Amino acid sequence: MDVWQGLVGQTEIISQLRRLAEANAARYRKPDPSADDASADSPSADDASPVLAQPTAGDETRVMPEADPDSDIRLAHSWLFTGPAGSGRSNLALAFAASLLCPDGGCGSCQSCLMARSGNHPDLRVLRTEKVIIEIDDVRDIVAASYLSPSISRLRIQVIEDADRMSERTSNVLLKAIEEPPSSTIWILCSPSEADMLPTIRSRVRTVRLSTPTVEQVADFIVTADGVDPALAMRSAREAQSHIGMARRLATDADSRARRDASVLVLLGIVSSSHVAKGAQDLVAIAEQDTQAAATLRTERDRSEFFRQLGLPLDAPVPAQYRAQVKAFDESNKRLIKRSLLDGVDRILLDLESVGRDALLVRMGVNDGLINVERAPEITAWAAKRTPAQLVGYLDAIAEALTRTTRNVTPLLAFEAMLAAVIDKEAVS
Amino acid sequence: MATKVPWNRPRTAPIVLVSGSESVTAERAIRSLRRDARALYPDLEYTTLDAVEYSPGSLLSLAGPSLFGEPRYIEVTSVEHCSDEFLEDALRYVVSSADDVTVVLRHGGGNRGKKLLDTIRKLDTAVEIECSAITRDQDKQGFVLAEFDAAGRRIHPQALRKLVDAFSGDLPELASACQQLIADVAEDVTESDVETYFGSRVEATAFTVAAAAIAGRTGEALVTLRHALSTGASPVPIVAAFAMKVRLMAKVAGVRGGGAQLAKLIGAAPWQINQARTEAQGWSQAQILEALTTIAETDAAVKGAERDPIYAVERMVRCIAQRESILHV
């Protein structure tokens, strides 16, 4: 059970990263006296710094610059892992980090690997956020930490998940640190795509592009990880459009399956303006149920943990000297709940987009490869009443709604405008 | 128990608490107390203290016994944000106040210093002047009358009503309008005086703008929009008001059934349903949906998608008043 276990798909990338990590580990191992000649050309084992290379432009799918993995291994000092939401880019980044820290290149069973897996490795620093943005002070902190020497490993790894949530000003704090980190520090950033990062960041990192895992890969993973029925796993993976986290939730939670189905039915039932207003309201309610429950549960747990750390009972009034901290904590929780509502809205929009896509396929006479197979009859009937041009217009409206929600438009209003595009204007006027 | 008096009939005492959130009336009350005290003792020793920047001991030393027993008058501002040191000193002082000292405490509402307020309210030597927020029109008229009384002037009842209507949102503005009339008009203030000075001013809210636009009165809608913007409405709530109204229209459009029945179904009050029905007359469902799209587009625009939020709102008002889609503008 090595560190790469439990990742979905990405076999080619994983095998390259694995070779890189193993070669890196081999370079630090005590040289075998009998093989003195072999190691003569490589840097001595006492030299703690890996050979660093400037990232090369182009050819990003190949992780390693050299064709032969055994000759002159070069480990870039800054990496960018990109892949769509739910493709497992953060998990892959963490596995890569663990494999670099491990003296055996990612055995998965040594102390270093165990610490990395439990999130307690002193030389692995992960910056993640549940908020809409990564705050500049957090980045300043992690940049300061990057100049420390590693304590138990040869390398210090700094991971930033969701690096696309940094504003321009925040990204600029990183520039110097990722361009020329100390020789023992490796940066790994994760973002949905390269385009989400500033050009000045992009030019300083080596990019690893993850592909979207296939439905089968995700389904296999769910079957092994959660032990659900293979048919259900397939359906969940398909409906989640290979978003691993979402697929697991659909597979293990009947309520979220029901909510997804309800949002699809809302869309298919729209025939008049009152449906539009009511439907938008229902969709917002679904998004709220979907995320609020989970988020509230989590924040309540965090809150009791926070109070325990302060040494305060949960129900007693907060003493004046702690009030500022508690207020800041509640403030950040409120932002977290807002963020998760946006995630729910996003999710619904993607589900509805899949319905639009299916309808367009059916309308154009293609009947396989549908995402919402379970609702195929309804979707077929719905598509038959519309021209392909109208369906494309509807897909555009969803894309527009996605942009609007990122622009802070009220979710209700964004849904209304999107559902308004479903209605055949001639028919109702 | 402390005596409670209204703000327009202030009374002095060794300890005066001016409580409540209405800053204009509080200021008037404090001013009149000060004027009375100065009239009584021309060489009054007058000091102001800020309860936030309070240095420990200063209240006690200012109010401490003096050699010749000359009267002293101390005003303390921002007691609602006071420091702990001030609270401590004030609590110590109020229970043993001196007769030749007047301490006026201004507390603008809130829970800070509640113990001090409670202590003062239990004292016989204290007076509390209540200056709670003025919201009702009747109270506003009372305020205006008090302003004119204080200046020894009169205002006609119609003029009074007109003046209060023109400044329904903002008491400080109403106060300064009164002062302007008192200063500029030589005799009794009549309706035509108010007309001359504040005639074109209309207090417009986002909902009046939306009502005019939905009724198709483009010109009126644009004018009231300008009034609303210049009297403090900001683009985002205006768009939200439009969204609320049009959303309700969308809900009632093409739906039959009695108002009460529908009200339960939609979750709005029956009068709202009836109003929305009246407003939706002359609108087709397609037009209503287009208006919703326009509003969504404008919501993005006023939240940063476009450079000029005011222009975006104006465009939305025009589109909705003329039943046009934003895509054709």
Side-chain angles (χ1 to χ4, degrees), chain A residues 272-274 276-277 281 404 407-410 412-413 416-417 420 423 425 428, chain B residues 243 247 250-251 253 255 284-286 289 292-293 295-297 299-300 303 305:
Chain A
S272 77
S273 71
S274 59
V276 170
Q281 211 175 328
R404 281 187 186 136
R407 292 251 186 228
N408 241 345
V409 170
T410 345
L412 187 59
L413 209 45
E416 280 164 350
I423 293 209
K425 300 281 175 342
V428 291
Chain B
R247 183 172 298 136
K251 281 182 183 166
V255 181
S284 71
Q285 285 196 28
L289 294 176
L292 269 179
T293 316
I295 293 167
E297 185 70 33
D299 197 30
K303 286 173 177 169

PDB file of all heavy atoms in Angstrom, chain A residues 272-274 276-277 281 404 407-410 412-413 416-417 420 423 425 428, chain B residues 243 247 250-251 253 255 284-286 289 292-293 295-297 299-300 303 305:
ATOM      1  N   SER A 272     -44.594  27.907 -17.428  1.00  0.00           N
ATOM      2  CA  SER A 272     -45.099  29.280 -17.434  1.00  0.00           C
ATOM      3  C   SER A 272     -44.275  30.135 -16.493  1.00  0.00           C
ATOM      4  O   SER A 272     -43.403  29.628 -15.787  1.00  0.00           O
ATOM      5  CB  SER A 272     -46.563  29.300 -16.995  1.00  0.00           C
ATOM      6  OG  SER A 272     -46.612  29.142 -15.594  1.00  0.00           O
ATOM      7  N   SER A 273     -44.567  31.429 -16.512  1.00  0.00           N
ATOM      8  CA  SER A 273     -43.734  32.341 -15.735  1.00  0.00           C
ATOM      9  C   SER A 273     -43.846  32.063 -14.245  1.00  0.00           C
ATOM     10  O   SER A 273     -42.889  32.238 -13.503  1.00  0.00           O
ATOM     11  CB  SER A 273     -44.113  33.784 -16.032  1.00  0.00           C
ATOM     12  OG  SER A 273     -45.372  34.073 -15.484  1.00  0.00           O
ATOM     13  N   SER A 274     -45.037  31.596 -13.804  1.00  0.00           N
ATOM     14  CA  SER A 274     -45.127  31.318 -12.367  1.00  0.00           C
ATOM     15  C   SER A 274     -44.269  30.113 -12.001  1.00  0.00           C
ATOM     16  O   SER A 274     -43.711  30.043 -10.919  1.00  0.00           O
ATOM     17  CB  SER A 274     -46.578  31.107 -11.943  1.00  0.00           C
ATOM     18  OG  SER A 274     -47.132  30.048 -12.664  1.00  0.00           O
ATOM     19  N   VAL A 276     -41.443  29.540 -13.393  1.00  0.00           N
ATOM     20  CA  VAL A 276     -40.073  30.052 -13.366  1.00  0.00           C
ATOM     21  C   VAL A 276     -39.755  30.589 -11.979  1.00  0.00           C
ATOM     22  O   VAL A 276     -38.746  30.210 -11.353  1.00  0.00           O
ATOM     23  CB  VAL A 276     -39.877  31.153 -14.431  1.00  0.00           C
ATOM     24  CG1 VAL A 276     -38.541  31.849 -14.224  1.00  0.00           C
ATOM     25  CG2 VAL A 276     -39.941  30.552 -15.820  1.00  0.00           C
ATOM     26  N   ALA A 277     -40.651  31.471 -11.469  1.00  0.00           N
ATOM     27  CA  ALA A 277     -40.393  32.081 -10.168  1.00  0.00           C
ATOM     28  C   ALA A 277     -40.396  31.026  -9.065  1.00  0.00           C
ATOM     29  O   ALA A 277     -39.527  31.019  -8.191  1.00  0.00           O
ATOM     30  CB  ALA A 277     -41.432  33.153  -9.892  1.00  0.00           C
ATOM     31  N   GLN A 281     -37.120  29.427  -6.820  1.00  0.00           N
ATOM     32  CA  GLN A 281     -37.183  29.374  -5.361  1.00  0.00           C
ATOM     33  C   GLN A 281     -36.866  27.952  -4.875  1.00  0.00           C
ATOM     34  O   GLN A 281     -36.101  27.771  -3.925  1.00  0.00           O
ATOM     35  CB  GLN A 281     -38.602  29.750  -4.972  1.00  0.00           C
ATOM     36  CG  GLN A 281     -38.746  30.454  -3.664  1.00  0.00           C
ATOM     37  CD  GLN A 281     -40.202  30.870  -3.470  1.00  0.00           C
ATOM     38  OE1 GLN A 281     -40.920  31.179  -4.431  1.00  0.00           O
ATOM     39  NE2 GLN A 281     -40.649  30.854  -2.246  1.00  0.00           N
ATOM     40  N   ARG A 404     -22.813  34.601 -13.690  1.00  0.00           N
ATOM     41  CA  ARG A 404     -23.476  35.567 -12.813  1.00  0.00           C
ATOM     42  C   ARG A 404     -23.279  35.211 -11.347  1.00  0.00           C
ATOM     43  O   ARG A 404     -23.064  36.098 -10.529  1.00  0.00           O
ATOM     44  CB  ARG A 404     -24.969  35.633 -13.135  1.00  0.00           C
ATOM     45  CG  ARG A 404     -25.238  36.475 -14.360  1.00  0.00           C
ATOM     46  CD  ARG A 404     -26.715  36.692 -14.592  1.00  0.00           C
ATOM     47  NE  ARG A 404     -26.913  37.371 -15.855  1.00  0.00           N
ATOM     48  CZ  ARG A 404     -27.837  37.045 -16.745  1.00  0.00           C
ATOM     49  NH1 ARG A 404     -28.675  36.052 -16.490  1.00  0.00           N
ATOM     50  NH2 ARG A 404     -27.945  37.710 -17.869  1.00  0.00           N
ATOM     51  N   ARG A 407     -20.267  36.452 -10.130  1.00  0.00           N
ATOM     52  CA  ARG A 407     -20.294  37.907 -10.038  1.00  0.00           C
ATOM     53  C   ARG A 407     -21.125  38.386  -8.862  1.00  0.00           C
ATOM     54  O   ARG A 407     -21.513  39.543  -8.802  1.00  0.00           O
ATOM     55  CB  ARG A 407     -20.924  38.498 -11.296  1.00  0.00           C
ATOM     56  CG  ARG A 407     -20.084  38.308 -12.511  1.00  0.00           C
ATOM     57  CD  ARG A 407     -19.512  39.616 -12.927  1.00  0.00           C
ATOM     58  NE  ARG A 407     -18.804  39.485 -14.167  1.00  0.00           N
ATOM     59  CZ  ARG A 407     -17.596  39.964 -14.349  1.00  0.00           C
ATOM     60  NH1 ARG A 407     -16.994  40.583 -13.378  1.00  0.00           N
ATOM     61  NH2 ARG A 407     -17.014  39.835 -15.510  1.00  0.00           N
ATOM     62  N   ASN A 408     -21.485  37.455  -7.970  1.00  0.00           N
ATOM     63  CA  ASN A 408     -22.221  37.846  -6.771  1.00  0.00           C
ATOM     64  C   ASN A 408     -23.690  38.162  -7.014  1.00  0.00           C
ATOM     65  O   ASN A 408     -24.341  38.777  -6.177  1.00  0.00           O
ATOM     66  CB  ASN A 408     -21.576  39.068  -6.128  1.00  0.00           C
ATOM     67  CG  ASN A 408     -21.112  38.740  -4.736  1.00  0.00           C
ATOM     68  OD1 ASN A 408     -21.519  37.736  -4.188  1.00  0.00           O
ATOM     69  ND2 ASN A 408     -20.267  39.571  -4.187  1.00  0.00           N
ATOM     70  N   VAL A 409     -24.220  37.798  -8.164  1.00  0.00           N
ATOM     71  CA  VAL A 409     -25.652  37.981  -8.388  1.00  0.00           C
ATOM     72  C   VAL A 409     -26.387  37.033  -7.434  1.00  0.00           C
ATOM     73  O   VAL A 409     -25.922  35.919  -7.183  1.00  0.00           O
ATOM     74  CB  VAL A 409     -26.022  37.652  -9.852  1.00  0.00           C
ATOM     75  CG1 VAL A 409     -27.525  37.603 -10.042  1.00  0.00           C
ATOM     76  CG2 VAL A 409     -25.415  38.682 -10.777  1.00  0.00           C
ATOM     77  N   THR A 410     -27.523  37.501  -6.876  1.00  0.00           N
ATOM     78  CA  THR A 410     -28.296  36.644  -5.980  1.00  0.00           C
ATOM     79  C   THR A 410     -28.616  35.336  -6.701  1.00  0.00           C
ATOM     80  O   THR A 410     -29.093  35.377  -7.827  1.00  0.00           O
ATOM     81  CB  THR A 410     -29.630  37.320  -5.637  1.00  0.00           C
ATOM     82  OG1 THR A 410     -29.544  38.682  -6.008  1.00  0.00           O
ATOM     83  CG2 THR A 410     -29.968  37.207  -4.201  1.00  0.00           C
ATOM     84  N   LEU A 412     -31.054  33.354  -6.480  1.00  0.00           N
ATOM     85  CA  LEU A 412     -32.444  33.308  -6.917  1.00  0.00           C
ATOM     86  C   LEU A 412     -32.616  33.981  -8.281  1.00  0.00           C
ATOM     87  O   LEU A 412     -33.248  33.443  -9.199  1.00  0.00           O
ATOM     88  CB  LEU A 412     -33.315  34.007  -5.861  1.00  0.00           C
ATOM     89  CG  LEU A 412     -34.819  33.931  -6.036  1.00  0.00           C
ATOM     90  CD1 LEU A 412     -35.267  32.486  -6.046  1.00  0.00           C
ATOM     91  CD2 LEU A 412     -35.520  34.678  -4.910  1.00  0.00           C
ATOM     92  N   LEU A 413     -32.015  35.161  -8.417  1.00  0.00           N
ATOM     93  CA  LEU A 413     -32.152  35.920  -9.655  1.00  0.00           C
ATOM     94  C   LEU A 413     -31.449  35.202 -10.809  1.00  0.00           C
ATOM     95  O   LEU A 413     -31.963  35.156 -11.936  1.00  0.00           O
ATOM     96  CB  LEU A 413     -31.548  37.313  -9.427  1.00  0.00           C
ATOM     97  CG  LEU A 413     -32.084  38.494 -10.195  1.00  0.00           C
ATOM     98  CD1 LEU A 413     -33.594  38.488 -10.213  1.00  0.00           C
ATOM     99  CD2 LEU A 413     -31.591  39.778  -9.537  1.00  0.00           C
ATOM    100  N   GLU A 416     -33.641  32.407 -11.890  1.00  0.00           N
ATOM    101  CA  GLU A 416     -34.820  32.884 -12.603  1.00  0.00           C
ATOM    102  C   GLU A 416     -34.494  33.208 -14.057  1.00  0.00           C
ATOM    103  O   GLU A 416     -35.209  32.801 -14.971  1.00  0.00           O
ATOM    104  CB  GLU A 416     -35.404  34.114 -11.904  1.00  0.00           C
ATOM    105  CG  GLU A 416     -36.236  33.757 -10.699  1.00  0.00           C
ATOM    106  CD  GLU A 416     -36.500  34.932  -9.787  1.00  0.00           C
ATOM    107  OE1 GLU A 416     -35.883  36.004  -9.975  1.00  0.00           O
ATOM    108  OE2 GLU A 416     -37.318  34.791  -8.877  1.00  0.00           O
ATOM    109  N   ALA A 417     -33.385  33.937 -14.235  1.00  0.00           N
ATOM    110  CA  ALA A 417     -33.014  34.309 -15.597  1.00  0.00           C
ATOM    111  C   ALA A 417     -32.717  33.055 -16.421  1.00  0.00           C
ATOM    112  O   ALA A 417     -33.050  32.977 -17.601  1.00  0.00           O
ATOM    113  CB  ALA A 417     -31.806  35.236 -15.568  1.00  0.00           C
ATOM    114  N   ALA A 420     -35.968  31.282 -17.213  1.00  0.00           N
ATOM    115  CA  ALA A 420     -36.743  32.067 -18.182  1.00  0.00           C
ATOM    116  C   ALA A 420     -36.358  31.672 -19.602  1.00  0.00           C
ATOM    117  O   ALA A 420     -37.186  31.721 -20.526  1.00  0.00           O
ATOM    118  CB  ALA A 420     -36.511  33.552 -17.958  1.00  0.00           C
ATOM    119  N   ILE A 423     -38.396  28.769 -21.315  1.00  0.00           N
ATOM    120  CA  ILE A 423     -39.765  28.945 -21.800  1.00  0.00           C
ATOM    121  C   ILE A 423     -39.770  29.415 -23.251  1.00  0.00           C
ATOM    122  O   ILE A 423     -39.012  30.303 -23.634  1.00  0.00           O
ATOM    123  CB  ILE A 423     -40.486  29.958 -20.896  1.00  0.00           C
ATOM    124  CG1 ILE A 423     -40.630  29.312 -19.530  1.00  0.00           C
ATOM    125  CG2 ILE A 423     -41.808  30.374 -21.488  1.00  0.00           C
ATOM    126  CD1 ILE A 423     -41.779  29.755 -18.749  1.00  0.00           C
ATOM    127  N   LYS A 425     -40.960  31.604 -25.727  1.00  0.00           N
ATOM    128  CA  LYS A 425     -41.589  32.920 -25.576  1.00  0.00           C
ATOM    129  C   LYS A 425     -42.847  33.054 -26.437  1.00  0.00           C
ATOM    130  O   LYS A 425     -43.816  33.681 -26.040  1.00  0.00           O
ATOM    131  CB  LYS A 425     -40.599  34.040 -25.931  1.00  0.00           C
ATOM    132  CG  LYS A 425     -39.361  34.049 -25.074  1.00  0.00           C
ATOM    133  CD  LYS A 425     -39.657  34.682 -23.745  1.00  0.00           C
ATOM    134  CE  LYS A 425     -38.517  34.649 -22.756  1.00  0.00           C
ATOM    135  NZ  LYS A 425     -37.408  33.770 -22.894  1.00  0.00           N
ATOM    136  N   VAL A 428     -46.063  31.374 -24.771  1.00  0.00           N
ATOM    137  CA  VAL A 428     -46.739  31.950 -23.616  1.00  0.00           C
ATOM    138  C   VAL A 428     -47.296  33.351 -23.867  1.00  0.00           C
ATOM    139  O   VAL A 428     -48.114  33.823 -23.104  1.00  0.00           O
ATOM    140  CB  VAL A 428     -45.815  32.001 -22.382  1.00  0.00           C
ATOM    141  CG1 VAL A 428     -45.542  30.615 -21.887  1.00  0.00           C
ATOM    142  CG2 VAL A 428     -44.552  32.769 -22.679  1.00  0.00           C
TER     143      VAL A 428
ATOM    144  N   ALA B 243     -36.499  43.356  -8.536  1.00  0.00           N
ATOM    145  CA  ALA B 243     -36.572  41.901  -8.615  1.00  0.00           C
ATOM    146  C   ALA B 243     -37.750  41.392  -7.806  1.00  0.00           C
ATOM    147  O   ALA B 243     -38.504  40.519  -8.261  1.00  0.00           O
ATOM    148  CB  ALA B 243     -35.266  41.277  -8.104  1.00  0.00           C
ATOM    149  N   ARG B 247     -40.745  39.550  -9.662  1.00  0.00           N
ATOM    150  CA  ARG B 247     -40.855  38.140  -9.285  1.00  0.00           C
ATOM    151  C   ARG B 247     -42.299  37.811  -8.893  1.00  0.00           C
ATOM    152  O   ARG B 247     -42.865  36.801  -9.304  1.00  0.00           O
ATOM    153  CB  ARG B 247     -39.917  37.870  -8.116  1.00  0.00           C
ATOM    154  CG  ARG B 247     -39.877  36.439  -7.657  1.00  0.00           C
ATOM    155  CD  ARG B 247     -38.785  36.263  -6.630  1.00  0.00           C
ATOM    156  NE  ARG B 247     -37.483  36.565  -7.190  1.00  0.00           N
ATOM    157  CZ  ARG B 247     -36.554  37.290  -6.578  1.00  0.00           C
ATOM    158  NH1 ARG B 247     -36.784  37.801  -5.391  1.00  0.00           N
ATOM    159  NH2 ARG B 247     -35.393  37.501  -7.152  1.00  0.00           N
ATOM    160  N   ALA B 250     -44.403  37.648 -11.878  1.00  0.00           N
ATOM    161  CA  ALA B 250     -44.212  36.385 -12.592  1.00  0.00           C
ATOM    162  C   ALA B 250     -45.011  35.281 -11.924  1.00  0.00           C
ATOM    163  O   ALA B 250     -45.581  34.419 -12.586  1.00  0.00           O
ATOM    164  CB  ALA B 250     -42.732  36.018 -12.615  1.00  0.00           C
ATOM    165  N   LYS B 251     -45.066  35.336 -10.577  1.00  0.00           N
ATOM    166  CA  LYS B 251     -45.766  34.271  -9.860  1.00  0.00           C
ATOM    167  C   LYS B 251     -47.265  34.328 -10.090  1.00  0.00           C
ATOM    168  O   LYS B 251     -47.916  33.291 -10.151  1.00  0.00           O
ATOM    169  CB  LYS B 251     -45.471  34.374  -8.363  1.00  0.00           C
ATOM    170  CG  LYS B 251     -44.123  33.811  -7.996  1.00  0.00           C
ATOM    171  CD  LYS B 251     -43.903  33.893  -6.513  1.00  0.00           C
ATOM    172  CE  LYS B 251     -42.518  33.391  -6.158  1.00  0.00           C
ATOM    173  NZ  LYS B 251     -42.146  33.749  -4.797  1.00  0.00           N
ATOM    174  N   ALA B 253     -48.805  35.836 -12.689  1.00  0.00           N
ATOM    175  CA  ALA B 253     -49.219  35.932 -14.091  1.00  0.00           C
ATOM    176  C   ALA B 253     -49.799  34.607 -14.568  1.00  0.00           C
ATOM    177  O   ALA B 253     -49.186  33.554 -14.402  1.00  0.00           O
ATOM    178  CB  ALA B 253     -48.023  36.318 -14.963  1.00  0.00           C
ATOM    179  N   VAL B 255     -52.084  32.827 -13.424  1.00  0.00           N
ATOM    180  CA  VAL B 255     -52.581  31.892 -12.417  1.00  0.00           C
ATOM    181  C   VAL B 255     -53.945  32.384 -11.943  1.00  0.00           C
ATOM    182  O   VAL B 255     -54.085  33.528 -11.532  1.00  0.00           O
ATOM    183  CB  VAL B 255     -51.613  31.799 -11.215  1.00  0.00           C
ATOM    184  CG1 VAL B 255     -52.146  30.815 -10.195  1.00  0.00           C
ATOM    185  CG2 VAL B 255     -50.249  31.361 -11.707  1.00  0.00           C
ATOM    186  N   SER B 284     -47.279  40.647 -20.885  1.00  0.00           N
ATOM    187  CA  SER B 284     -47.373  39.240 -21.262  1.00  0.00           C
ATOM    188  C   SER B 284     -46.355  38.469 -20.433  1.00  0.00           C
ATOM    189  O   SER B 284     -45.412  39.053 -19.881  1.00  0.00           O
ATOM    190  CB  SER B 284     -47.065  39.067 -22.741  1.00  0.00           C
ATOM    191  OG  SER B 284     -45.693  39.280 -22.958  1.00  0.00           O
ATOM    192  N   GLN B 285     -46.554  37.164 -20.345  1.00  0.00           N
ATOM    193  CA  GLN B 285     -45.598  36.352 -19.566  1.00  0.00           C
ATOM    194  C   GLN B 285     -44.193  36.484 -20.136  1.00  0.00           C
ATOM    195  O   GLN B 285     -43.212  36.568 -19.397  1.00  0.00           O
ATOM    196  CB  GLN B 285     -46.023  34.891 -19.588  1.00  0.00           C
ATOM    197  CG  GLN B 285     -47.210  34.626 -18.700  1.00  0.00           C
ATOM    198  CD  GLN B 285     -47.364  33.143 -18.423  1.00  0.00           C
ATOM    199  OE1 GLN B 285     -46.387  32.398 -18.431  1.00  0.00           O
ATOM    200  NE2 GLN B 285     -48.581  32.723 -18.183  1.00  0.00           N
ATOM    201  N   ALA B 286     -44.126  36.512 -21.482  1.00  0.00           N
ATOM    202  CA  ALA B 286     -42.799  36.618 -22.103  1.00  0.00           C
ATOM    203  C   ALA B 286     -42.126  37.917 -21.691  1.00  0.00           C
ATOM    204  O   ALA B 286     -40.924  37.950 -21.412  1.00  0.00           O
ATOM    205  CB  ALA B 286     -42.929  36.537 -23.618  1.00  0.00           C
ATOM    206  N   LEU B 289     -40.803  37.630 -18.167  1.00  0.00           N
ATOM    207  CA  LEU B 289     -39.578  36.832 -18.110  1.00  0.00           C
ATOM    208  C   LEU B 289     -38.391  37.618 -18.649  1.00  0.00           C
ATOM    209  O   LEU B 289     -37.284  37.536 -18.124  1.00  0.00           O
ATOM    210  CB  LEU B 289     -39.771  35.526 -18.892  1.00  0.00           C
ATOM    211  CG  LEU B 289     -40.796  34.584 -18.269  1.00  0.00           C
ATOM    212  CD1 LEU B 289     -41.001  33.375 -19.144  1.00  0.00           C
ATOM    213  CD2 LEU B 289     -40.344  34.169 -16.888  1.00  0.00           C
ATOM    214  N   LEU B 292     -37.256  39.849 -16.003  1.00  0.00           N
ATOM    215  CA  LEU B 292     -36.438  39.139 -15.005  1.00  0.00           C
ATOM    216  C   LEU B 292     -35.000  38.993 -15.490  1.00  0.00           C
ATOM    217  O   LEU B 292     -34.049  39.182 -14.729  1.00  0.00           O
ATOM    218  CB  LEU B 292     -37.024  37.747 -14.747  1.00  0.00           C
ATOM    219  CG  LEU B 292     -38.042  37.621 -13.619  1.00  0.00           C
ATOM    220  CD1 LEU B 292     -38.521  36.191 -13.519  1.00  0.00           C
ATOM    221  CD2 LEU B 292     -37.427  38.047 -12.296  1.00  0.00           C
ATOM    222  N   THR B 293     -34.842  38.645 -16.762  1.00  0.00           N
ATOM    223  CA  THR B 293     -33.498  38.508 -17.323  1.00  0.00           C
ATOM    224  C   THR B 293     -32.765  39.846 -17.263  1.00  0.00           C
ATOM    225  O   THR B 293     -31.587  39.905 -16.899  1.00  0.00           O
ATOM    226  CB  THR B 293     -33.580  38.025 -18.783  1.00  0.00           C
ATOM    227  OG1 THR B 293     -34.550  36.988 -18.845  1.00  0.00           O
ATOM    228  CG2 THR B 293     -32.251  37.518 -19.263  1.00  0.00           C
ATOM    229  N   ILE B 295     -33.229  42.191 -15.178  1.00  0.00           N
ATOM    230  CA  ILE B 295     -32.857  42.505 -13.794  1.00  0.00           C
ATOM    231  C   ILE B 295     -31.634  41.695 -13.365  1.00  0.00           C
ATOM    232  O   ILE B 295     -30.728  42.213 -12.712  1.00  0.00           O
ATOM    233  CB  ILE B 295     -34.055  42.248 -12.858  1.00  0.00           C
ATOM    234  CG1 ILE B 295     -35.162  43.251 -13.170  1.00  0.00           C
ATOM    235  CG2 ILE B 295     -33.647  42.385 -11.403  1.00  0.00           C
ATOM    236  CD1 ILE B 295     -36.492  42.904 -12.551  1.00  0.00           C
ATOM    237  N   ALA B 296     -31.599  40.417 -13.772  1.00  0.00           N
ATOM    238  CA  ALA B 296     -30.433  39.589 -13.433  1.00  0.00           C
ATOM    239  C   ALA B 296     -29.167  40.173 -14.039  1.00  0.00           C
ATOM    240  O   ALA B 296     -28.117  40.266 -13.387  1.00  0.00           O
ATOM    241  CB  ALA B 296     -30.641  38.155 -13.915  1.00  0.00           C
ATOM    242  N   GLU B 297     -29.284  40.591 -15.298  1.00  0.00           N
ATOM    243  CA  GLU B 297     -28.137  41.194 -15.979  1.00  0.00           C
ATOM    244  C   GLU B 297     -27.690  42.462 -15.238  1.00  0.00           C
ATOM    245  O   GLU B 297     -26.500  42.695 -15.030  1.00  0.00           O
ATOM    246  CB  GLU B 297     -28.550  41.534 -17.417  1.00  0.00           C
ATOM    247  CG  GLU B 297     -27.449  42.063 -18.306  1.00  0.00           C
ATOM    248  CD  GLU B 297     -26.430  40.991 -18.654  1.00  0.00           C
ATOM    249  OE1 GLU B 297     -26.835  39.820 -18.769  1.00  0.00           O
ATOM    250  OE2 GLU B 297     -25.241  41.331 -18.786  1.00  0.00           O
ATOM    251  N   ASP B 299     -28.245  43.193 -12.096  1.00  0.00           N
ATOM    252  CA  ASP B 299     -27.695  42.863 -10.782  1.00  0.00           C
ATOM    253  C   ASP B 299     -26.201  42.595 -10.902  1.00  0.00           C
ATOM    254  O   ASP B 299     -25.406  43.072 -10.090  1.00  0.00           O
ATOM    255  CB  ASP B 299     -28.425  41.638 -10.211  1.00  0.00           C
ATOM    256  CG  ASP B 299     -28.214  41.503  -8.715  1.00  0.00           C
ATOM    257  OD1 ASP B 299     -28.040  42.548  -8.054  1.00  0.00           O
ATOM    258  OD2 ASP B 299     -28.220  40.371  -8.200  1.00  0.00           O
ATOM    259  N   ALA B 300     -25.823  41.839 -11.947  1.00  0.00           N
ATOM    260  CA  ALA B 300     -24.395  41.600 -12.173  1.00  0.00           C
ATOM    261  C   ALA B 300     -23.695  42.924 -12.455  1.00  0.00           C
ATOM    262  O   ALA B 300     -22.609  43.195 -11.934  1.00  0.00           O
ATOM    263  CB  ALA B 300     -24.196  40.628 -13.328  1.00  0.00           C
ATOM    264  N   LYS B 303     -22.997  45.025  -9.516  1.00  0.00           N
ATOM    265  CA  LYS B 303     -22.061  44.411  -8.565  1.00  0.00           C
ATOM    266  C   LYS B 303     -20.674  44.287  -9.177  1.00  0.00           C
ATOM    267  O   LYS B 303     -19.884  43.450  -8.742  1.00  0.00           O
ATOM    268  CB  LYS B 303     -22.594  43.063  -8.111  1.00  0.00           C
ATOM    269  CG  LYS B 303     -23.748  43.218  -7.138  1.00  0.00           C
ATOM    270  CD  LYS B 303     -24.390  41.912  -6.814  1.00  0.00           C
ATOM    271  CE  LYS B 303     -25.504  42.127  -5.780  1.00  0.00           C
ATOM    272  NZ  LYS B 303     -26.328  40.937  -5.636  1.00  0.00           N
ATOM    273  N   ALA B 305     -19.786  43.997 -12.726  1.00  0.00           N
ATOM    274  CA  ALA B 305     -19.539  43.496 -14.070  1.00  0.00           C
ATOM    275  C   ALA B 305     -19.413  44.641 -15.075  1.00  0.00           C
ATOM    276  O   ALA B 305     -18.783  44.483 -16.114  1.00  0.00           O
ATOM    277  CB  ALA B 305     -20.645  42.556 -14.503  1.00  0.00           C
TER     278      ALA B 305
END
